[in-house]
């Protein structure tokens, strides 16, 4: 089983290039099958979640040409089935965007129920509510979401809670519905805006994405386009926090600094320096960092996908910090793993009380989900000695060449497959 091995203690230094946003790309790849012309998508991250979704749309008949690792051409004219189900797609979350895309285009979709990271209960009632209001009959049958409409018609939808997934899904379906749709209490995340921009470049008529009211005028069909995915805010944030946690100095390139403001603000609070440029940010980690507090919120608040990573920073800061998780109900499982490395964290309900320690010590830990896994890598980079992280397939779902990018910043990290590789790494890293 492949794992990361890390020899901690190096302050990261240098420059790193951020790839395309995974969570935007999932919606964008699904949207691409809605046209009967070629859609070229660039700046795609080469990560498992995206590759599984691309294989799945190919599996239902879409014509897919992989131009290079980050660019794909998709033509939905050849889609021959509305039934999307395979062993891999079951494990991802983004599969549910195929419901919106297929329902919009064919008025029928049968898509396996979404998997994704185990970070608590993840209901899809708001997706179902949205599709139903557009006139679809939606059932859960044999592990599938089955949605069908005689005619998809625009509707006034008020989400009961802010949800990225349901906002994107309803936007997809409503783009090809008859008449006007209004989504109230919509999610405002940058990836919602990116999917809306992409759909508009295919001829959709979506206004208001990025605010909490999105208005969609249904159009008869969508056409081909060329689109480049926005930079990944969470990958960028992870490298920013890696620089801070290791007390390093890293220029994080190809980012939209505006999307990172909640993260930048926290870095200032703990005492790091952040320099903003047009499409880059430099983070300089102060040797002594202060405690603070954070609450995860919908955009533009602090993102839940950066919660485990900021906990690592707080765990090495002076004083006691608090981390409140407001989005998912079970996103602190990684705390037990951090504790094995010497962190002092107490979880009470949705709040983690983090008492700063002087340092971590290396240990064998498990990546329990994507962002938790990334946080453990950050902890390993700061720890004295060797850390091994199992189940790195979670991390590879959302971080492209994470080990190689960290190596380019001076980190001593490798993927190893067996004990012999591990011993070899240790001899080399001494
Ligand atoms: C997306 O998940 C992301 N995943 C998550 O990223 C991210 O953490 C999350 O948005 C919040 O930003 C993808 O884009 C594939 P939500 P999603 O719908 O769509 C509740 C990562 O690490 N809810 O905004 O599942 C839900 O349980 C992943 O990259 C309902 O109650 O998130 C949660 O508490 C992890 N009913 C809250 O809303 C619904 O029908 C927000 O969920 C839908 C959601």
């Amino acid at each position: 089983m492949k794992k990361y091995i890390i020899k901690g203690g190096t302050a990261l230094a240098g420059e790193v290039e951020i790839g395309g946003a995974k969570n935007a790309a999932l919606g964008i790849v699904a949207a691409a099958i809605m046209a009967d012309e070629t859609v070229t998508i660039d700046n795609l991250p080469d990560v498992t979640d995206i590759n599984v979704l691309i294989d799945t749309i190919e599996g239902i008949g879409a014509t897919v040409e992989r131009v290079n690792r980050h660019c794909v051409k998709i033509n939905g004219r050849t889609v021959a089935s509305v039934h999307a189900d395979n062993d891999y797609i079951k494990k991802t979350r983004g599969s549910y965007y195929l419901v919106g895309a297929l329902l919009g285009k064919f008025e029928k979709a049968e898509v396996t129920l979404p998997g994704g990271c185990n970070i608590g209960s993840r209901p899809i009632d708001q997706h179902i509510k949205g599709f139903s209001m557009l006139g679809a009959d939606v059932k859960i049958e044999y592990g599938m979401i089955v949605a069908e409409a005689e005619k998809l018609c625009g509707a006034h939808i008020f989400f009961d809670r802010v949800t990225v997934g349901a906002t994107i899904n309803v936007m997809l379906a409503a783009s090809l519905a008859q008449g006007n749709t209004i989504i109230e209490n919509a999610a405002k995340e940058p990836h919602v805006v990116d999917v809306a921009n992409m759909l508009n470049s295919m001829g959709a008529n979506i206004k208001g994405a990025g605010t909490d009211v999105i208005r969609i005028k249904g159009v008869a069909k969508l056409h081909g386009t060329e689109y480049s995915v926005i930079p990944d805010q969470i990958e960028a944030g992870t490298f920013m926090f890696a620089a801070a946690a290791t007390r390093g100095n890293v220029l994080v390139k190809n980012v939209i600094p505006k999307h990172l403001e909640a993260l930048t603000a926290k870095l200032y609070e703990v005492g790091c320096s952040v320099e903003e440029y047009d499409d880059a940010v430099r983070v300089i980690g102060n040797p002594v960092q202060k405690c603070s507090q954070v609450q995860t919120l919908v955009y533009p608040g602090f993102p839940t996908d950066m919660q485990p990573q900021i906990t690592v920073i707080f765990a090495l800061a002076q004083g006691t910090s608090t981390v409140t998780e407001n989005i998912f109900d079970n996103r602190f499982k990684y705390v037990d793993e951090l504790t094995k490395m010497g962190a002092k964290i107490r979880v009470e309900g949705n709040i983690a009380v983090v008492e700063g320690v002087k340092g971590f010590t290396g240990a064998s830990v498990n990546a329990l989900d994507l962002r938790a896994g990334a946080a453990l890598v950050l902890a390993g980079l700061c720890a004295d000695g060797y850390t091994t992280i199992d189940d790195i397939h979670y991390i590879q779902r959302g971080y492209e060449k994470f080990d190689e990018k960290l190596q380019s910043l001076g980190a001593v990290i490798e993927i190893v497959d067996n004990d012999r590789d591990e011993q070899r790494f240790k001899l080399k890293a001494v």
Side-chain angles (χ1 to χ4, degrees):
M1 200 66 132
K2 288 195 167 125
K3 50 185 164 184
Y4 286 138
I5 180 160
I6 302 169
K7 181 169 192 285
T10 310
L12 299 187
E15 300 182 357
V16 65
E17 189 91 24
I18 298 307
K22 168 186 78 94
N23 289 342
L26 289 168
I28 285 170
V29 167
I33 63 168
M34 296 174 76
D36 283 341
E37 294 173 4
T38 299
V39 171
T40 305
I41 309 171
D42 210 348
N43 204 32
L44 267 182
D46 182 14
V47 295
T48 324
D49 273 11
I50 298 300
N51 293 327
V52 163
L53 185 62
I54 293 175
D55 288 348
T56 305
I57 62 166
E58 200 169 16
I60 57 171
T63 306
V64 173
E65 182 197 337
R66 289 181 189 259
V67 181
N68 60 47
R69 272 185 42 226
H70 298 127
C71 180
V72 68
K73 286 180 189 284
I74 295 169
N75 193 319
R77 192 173 44 81
T78 48
V79 171
S81 166
V82 294
H83 184 90
D85 182 22
N86 63 50
D87 281 349
Y88 299 108
I89 198 78
K90 279 194 182 83
K91 295 181 186 144
T92 73
R93 196 89 204 143
S95 56
Y96 56 28
Y97 293 140
L98 291 177
V99 181
L102 290 168
L103 187 64
K105 184 168 186 183
F106 299 108
E107 291 175 329
K108 181 154 195 206
E110 295 171 6
V111 179
T112 189
L113 278 165
C117 285
N118 183 3
I119 48 184
S121 138
R122 299 180 77 177
I124 53 164
D125 57 305
Q126 298 304 302
H127 300 243
I128 294 174
K129 169 176 163 168
F131 295 141
S132 305
M133 291 193 73
L134 295 176
D137 179 32
V138 189
K139 289 182 282 204
I140 307 293
E141 277 179 352
Y142 305 105
M144 310 282 290
I145 308 170
V146 180
E148 193 167 7
E150 258 175 41
K151 187 190 276 179
L152 219 53
C153 292
H156 195 153
I157 300 164
F158 202 117
F159 282 131
D160 299 317
R161 63 176 299 163
V162 178
T163 136
V164 171
T167 302
I168 292 180
N169 232 340
V170 168
M171 245 171 28
L172 289 165
S175 291
L176 285 177
Q178 207 173 66
N180 298 341
T181 296
I182 301 175
I183 304 176
E184 307 233 30
N185 202 20
K188 296 181 279 201
E189 270 66 3
H191 34 298
V192 173
V193 179
D194 206 34
V195 177
N197 287 342
M198 188 271 186
L199 283 164
N200 283 342
S201 79
M202 293 170 75
N205 187 337
I206 304 174
K207 296 207 167 81
T211 74
D212 44 25
V213 184
I214 299 180
R215 293 168 200 277
I216 305 158
K217 269 191 189 155
V219 296
K221 63 178 189 166
L222 297 172
H223 54 68
T225 188
E226 289 182 9
Y227 197 80
S228 184
V229 179
I230 52 164
D232 196 305
Q233 168 204 12
I234 306 300
E235 187 195 13
T238 302
F239 279 97
M240 290 165 74
F241 283 19
T246 61
R247 278 62 179 162
N249 180 338
V250 175
L251 186 67
V252 183
K253 291 164 62 173
N254 185 35
V255 301
I256 300 175
K258 174 90 192 135
H259 294 168
L260 304 170
E261 279 173 352
L263 311 178
T264 305
K266 282 295 151 201
L267 288 173
Y268 283 134
E269 277 176 33
V270 298
C272 296
S273 306
V274 185
E275 295 164 10
E276 283 188 16
Y277 303 95
D278 286 349
D279 61 354
V281 288
R282 177 180 294 284
V283 176
I284 304 170
N286 196 323
V288 180
Q289 295 178 16
K290 292 176 281 190
C291 55
S292 183
Q293 54 83 31
V294 74
Q295 298 221 15
T296 62
L297 292 168
V298 295
Y299 188 82
F302 189 91
T304 174
D305 291 346
M306 287 300 299
Q307 182 260 96
Q309 299 91 315
I310 197 150
T311 301
V312 170
I313 292 190
F314 286 168
L316 293 171
Q318 269 185 345
T320 302
S321 307
T322 56
V323 180
T324 307
E325 173 57 53
N326 290 316
I327 308 295
F328 291 107
D329 58 20
N330 194 7
R331 210 171 190 175
F332 280 129
K333 280 184 296 177
Y334 66 90
V335 160
D336 288 344
E337 303 303 292
L338 274 184
T339 305
K340 291 181 192 162
M341 301 178 71
K344 283 197 182 158
I345 305 173
R346 199 175 69 249
V347 177
E348 290 168 7
N350 68 331
I351 300 177
V353 180
V354 187
E355 201 185 312
V357 295
K358 285 216 156 51
F360 295 144
T361 47
S364 275
V365 290
N366 278 310
L368 300 170
D369 67 65
L370 167 58
R371 308 303 172 187
L376 292 172
V377 171
L378 265 51
L381 294 172
C382 301
D384 184 40
Y386 297 97
T387 297
T388 54
I389 301 172
D390 271 310
D391 288 329
I392 61 170
H393 56 93
Y394 283 115
I395 303 173
Q396 290 167 332
R397 290 170 76 147
Y399 291 91
E400 179 178 333
K401 294 187 184 295
F402 198 32
D403 51 323
E404 291 179 28
K405 288 187 181 185
L406 288 166
Q407 281 164 3
S408 76
L409 298 172
V412 187
I413 176 171
E414 261 180 35
I415 296 180
V416 291
D417 215 353
N418 51 50
D419 289 348
R420 227 183 38 212
D421 283 357
E422 206 172 312
Q423 287 312 321
R424 200 176 300 132
F425 173 89
K426 286 183 177 168
L427 285 172
K428 215 168 53 185
V430 169

